Amino acid sequence: MLFNPRSIVAKIDKVMMEISDRNVDIAAICESWLKDKNSPTTAAVKSHGYSILHDYRKNQNGGGTALIYKSLIPLVPLPCSIHSDSFEYIVASLKTGTGTKIIFLVIYRPGNMSSLFNSEIDCLISNLLLKCDCLVLAGDLNLHLDNPENKLHQQALQTLESCGLKRHIFEPTHISGRSLDQIFTFSLHDQLQCTDISVDAKNVLMSDHFPVYCGLSISYENKYMKTITYRKTKEIDHQQFTNSLRTILDNCVNDSGASFGKSIEYLFSKTRDLLDQHAPVVSKNISVVKQAPWFDAEYRQLRKLRRKAERKKSKSLSNMIIYKDLCQECTELANKKKKAFFSNMIKKAEGNPKTLYKLVNKELDRNQAKPLPSITDDLFDLAQKFNTFFEEKIDRIRSGMETKASLHTKAVIPQMKLLHEFRPTDIDEVKEIISESGLKSAPDDLLPYSLFKENIDLILPVLVHMVNISLLTGSMDGVKRADVIPLKR
C-alpha cells in the first residue's frame, strides 16, 4: 500500500482499520507529520499487530515518511549516508526465504521541481542498488510524468528508468487528476513482480491523494507460521488404554529388585510408548496473527458485514449508502470497544501505580525496548553461572557485615535427636498432598493431565511405591530434571 494521508496522526484509526481490513503487509506513508519517535500514534499502530519505521521531524511541521508493516515481517532499517535537500526518504531492507535482499525506499518530494532532485535521486538509487537484489521505490514524487511537455519531470523519469527501475502507476492518484504517487521496482534476476495494481479513487480515507495497492511476489522467511505439536488424547480408546496402563503399573510394582532410577526409567519409557501407540504426536503449522486486544466476536462479525458490503458498493447507490453506514458503525464500535478495554485495564490497575505506569507507557510507546541478556545453549554451564553468581553475592553480603562481639560467644548447641530413617507413606497421605496442591502436568510428565486425572486411582499405588523406594534408598535418580516455564511479568 502507498498512501499520502496528509497527517497520519489525525487519521491513525481509519488508516489502521483500512490496512487491517485489506490485510496489507507493508504500507508506505508520505507526509506522516510525526514529531516523536514514540507517541500515541505509533502505539496505535502496534496495537493492531503492526510495527512502524519513520523519520520523525522533531521541530518541523508537515512532511515525514514512514513504513508500517506486520510485526512478524523481518523488515529492518537500513542506514544510508546519502544526504538530500530536495526530498525526504526512509530506507528499510528485507531478506526473503530464498536469500534475496529487497530494499524498500519511501520518498516524499515537496515543493517546486529542480534539477537538484534528478542528481540526488540518481546518487541515492545508485548507492542502494549496490546493496540489494531488488528495490521497491514508493512515494509521493509530486511529478507530472503524464505531461510530456514538462522537461524536468521527464528527465526525472529518464533518470529512474536509466537505473533499471520500472514504473507501475499510470492512473490518477490525486484529486487533480495527476499521477503524483508512484511505485517503481528493480529486480536483478526478475525475482520481484508487481501485480494487482489498483488505485482506490473512492477517497474513503479523506485525503487529496488516493491509496494505491499492489501485490509483490516476495518469498518471506517463515515468520508467519508456527509449528505446534500435540496429541489427540480425546480420540483414545480409554478402556483399552487403561488396561494397557494397568499392566505397565503392575509390572513396575511387582519388580521388587529394581532400583528407584530403573523403575522411573521403566515407567517413563513404557508410558511414552503407550502414548505413541494410542495418541501419536501430531505436528501442525498454524498462522500467527496478532490482533488488537479489544477485537471480539461482535466486532469481527461487523467487519465481515462491512467487507461484504464493500464488494457490492459499486453496484448501486443504496449499496454504497449501506457500505458507508457500516463503515461508520465499525468505527464507532471499535472506539467503544477500545474505550471499554482501557477503562477496564485502568480499573484493574487501581491502587497499583507500577501497573498503571506500565499501561500508560505502553500506549504512549515509551520504554518498550527491554533487551534480555544473552545466554548459552549449554544448560550445565548456565546453571553453574547462576550458582556462582549467588555464591559470590552471599560472600559479598557477609564480608560487608559488621562483626559484633556477640558473634564470638560460644554457641550453645541443643541436644538433637538423630534421624535414622523415614516413615513410609501411604495412599491416603499422597492423596491428601495431591488434593492440597492440585493436579498439574508439565510437557515431559508421565501422562498428560487429562489421562493422569482419569487414571489417578491406578497410579496412586505406584506413586506410593516409588516414594517409599526413594525414602528407603535415599535416591532421586531420574527425577532431578525440571521443566521451568517462566511467566512474563
Side-chain angles (χ1 to χ4, degrees):
M1 175 185 181
L2 166 62
F3 182 48
N4 180 343
R6 291 182 60 81
S7 177
I8 197 176
V9 177
K11 305 172 184 176
I12 185 61
D13 289 331
K14 287 186 176 180
V15 171
M16 289 311 302
M17 285 177 64
E18 183 73 8
I19 288 175
S20 298
D21 286 349
R22 289 182 175 268
N23 198 26
V24 173
D25 291 315
I26 301 174
I29 305 296
C30 299
E31 289 200 83
S32 60
W33 292 24
L34 292 171
K35 292 189 175 183
D36 294 289
K37 182 178 180 181
N38 299 314
S39 66
T41 303
T42 59
V45 171
K46 295 177 182 179
S47 71
H48 284 78
Y50 283 78
S51 297
I52 181 170
L53 298 174
H54 62 98
D55 59 332
Y56 61 96
R57 295 153 59 88
K58 187 69 176 177
N59 299 312
Q60 301 180 59
N61 294 323
T65 55
L67 276 165
I68 297 175
Y69 59 98
K70 287 184 177 177
S71 298
L72 297 176
I73 296 178
L75 198 66
V76 294
L78 184 67
C80 188
S81 59
I82 304 300
H83 176 74
S84 65
D85 293 315
S86 61
F87 61 90
E88 304 171 35
Y89 72 93
I90 187 171
V91 188
S93 65
L94 167 68
K95 191 173 182 180
T96 70
T98 57
T100 302
K101 185 175 182 181
I102 302 169
I103 286 181
F104 291 87
L105 170 64
V106 182
I107 290 179
Y108 170 59
R109 190 193 72 79
N112 297 323
M113 180 63 175
S114 68
S115 58
L116 178 62
F117 173 78
N118 292 336
S119 60
E120 288 184 342
I121 195 69
D122 182 40
C123 182
L124 174 61
I125 292 178
S126 299
N127 178 272
L128 293 178
L129 289 180
L130 297 174
K131 303 176 181 179
C132 67
D133 302 296
C134 302
L135 174 71
V136 178
L137 185 158
D140 177 8
L141 303 184
N142 202 14
L143 297 175
H144 300 170
L145 301 181
D146 48 354
N147 183 5
E149 303 299 325
N150 195 319
K151 292 184 178 180
L152 277 177
H153 291 204
Q154 291 302 314
Q155 287 174 5
L157 177 60
Q158 292 171 9
T159 299
L160 294 170
E161 290 178 341
S162 67
C163 293
L165 271 67
K166 181 181 178 181
R167 178 186 174 189
H168 295 282
I169 308 300
F170 298 92
E171 301 176 50
T173 63
H174 191 264
I175 57 175
S176 65
R178 299 284 188 180
S179 297
L180 304 184
D181 306 273
Q182 287 292 329
I183 296 177
F184 288 83
T185 59
F186 167 83
S187 184
L188 188 61
H189 301 294
D190 295 326
Q191 306 100 315
L192 182 67
Q193 299 294 326
C194 187
T195 59
D196 302 325
I197 302 164
S198 64
V199 178
D200 187 0
K202 301 295 183 182
N203 203 17
V204 294
L205 295 177
M206 305 299 292
S207 173
D208 55 346
H209 291 258
F210 306 142
V212 181
Y213 301 92
C214 72
L216 297 173
S217 59
I218 302 173
S219 299
Y220 295 117
E221 291 179 332
N222 190 21
K223 296 288 185 176
Y224 285 100
M225 305 302 292
K226 177 182 178 181
T227 301
I228 61 171
T229 57
Y230 60 97
R231 297 179 185 272
K232 296 181 179 180
T233 55
K234 292 183 179 180
E235 299 179 6
I236 288 178
D237 183 336
H238 292 279
Q239 185 60 48
Q240 187 178 355
F241 180 86
T242 300
N243 292 336
S244 300
L245 179 63
R246 181 182 287 107
T247 302
I248 294 173
L249 299 178
D250 289 345
N251 291 339
C252 180
V253 173
N254 294 332
D255 190 359
S256 58
S259 65
F260 178 79
K262 291 293 184 181
S263 297
I264 288 291
E265 183 181 349
Y266 171 82
L267 272 178
F268 274 86
S269 173
K270 292 299 182 181
T271 53
R272 191 64 57 189
D273 291 343
L274 184 62
L275 278 173
D276 290 338
Q277 178 185 346
H278 289 267
V281 175
V282 178
S283 297
K284 181 180 180 181
N285 291 327
I286 61 171
S287 58
V288 181
V289 180
K290 183 180 179 182
Q291 292 184 331
W294 55 85
F295 278 25
D296 59 11
E298 182 185 7
Y299 182 63
R300 290 192 190 95
Q301 183 62 31
L302 189 59
R303 282 177 54 165
K304 288 180 181 178
L305 294 176
R306 185 183 63 183
R307 292 295 292 167
K308 289 181 180 179
E310 184 180 8
R311 289 191 285 268
K312 299 178 182 178
K313 66 181 180 180
S314 59
K315 294 182 179 180
S316 67
L317 179 60
S318 60
N319 286 340
M320 176 61 73
I321 294 173
I322 292 173
Y323 169 67
K324 288 185 176 180
D325 289 343
L326 284 172
C327 285
Q328 184 66 25
E329 285 184 44
C330 272
T331 302
E332 292 175 356
L333 185 60
N335 290 333
K336 179 183 176 182
K337 297 287 185 183
K338 190 174 182 180
K339 287 178 182 178
F341 172 79
F342 285 112
S343 296
N344 186 45
M345 292 294 289
I346 291 171
K347 187 176 180 180
K348 285 183 178 179
E350 188 176 355
N352 190 337
K354 182 178 179 181
T355 304
L356 187 60
Y357 274 113
K358 184 178 179 181
L359 175 64
V360 173
N361 286 335
K362 179 181 179 182
E363 294 313 309
L364 295 179
D365 202 18
R366 294 191 221 151
N367 303 324
Q368 293 296 299
K370 292 183 179 179
L372 296 173
S374 58
I375 64 169
T376 175
D377 290 332
D378 188 345
L379 298 181
F380 179 80
D381 180 60
L382 183 62
Q384 288 296 107
K385 286 182 179 179
F386 269 106
N387 189 43
T388 303
F389 170 80
F390 285 108
E391 283 184 349
E392 292 176 350
K393 184 176 181 178
I394 292 172
D395 289 341
R396 286 196 301 270
I397 293 173
R398 286 177 174 172
S399 63
M401 295 173 65
E402 295 183 3
T403 304
K404 296 182 179 180
S406 60
L407 296 178
H408 295 287
T409 58
K410 187 175 180 180
V412 178
I413 302 175
Q415 294 293 324
M416 303 289 291
K417 291 184 178 180
L418 298 179
L419 182 64
H420 294 284
E421 61 182 5
F422 290 102
R423 174 183 57 80
T425 187
D426 54 31
I427 289 181
D428 292 335
E429 186 177 16
V430 173
K431 186 183 292 186
E432 183 181 353
I433 292 172
I434 292 175
S435 177
E436 290 177 355
S437 61
L439 205 56
K440 300 178 178 66
S441 177
D444 288 336
D445 275 354
L446 196 66
L447 291 173
Y449 169 80
S450 59
L451 294 176
F452 196 97
K453 182 179 180 180
E454 185 178 332
N455 296 280
I456 186 65
D457 292 333
L458 280 178
I459 298 172
L460 272 175
V462 181
L463 288 179
V464 171
H465 174 71
M466 298 305 298
V467 170
N468 286 334
I469 291 179
S470 177
L471 294 175
L472 181 64
T473 62
S475 173
M476 291 288 289
D477 292 338
V479 293
K480 294 181 180 180
R481 182 177 176 273
D483 292 322
V484 179
I485 304 175
L487 297 176
K488 295 182 179 179
R489 301 297 297 269

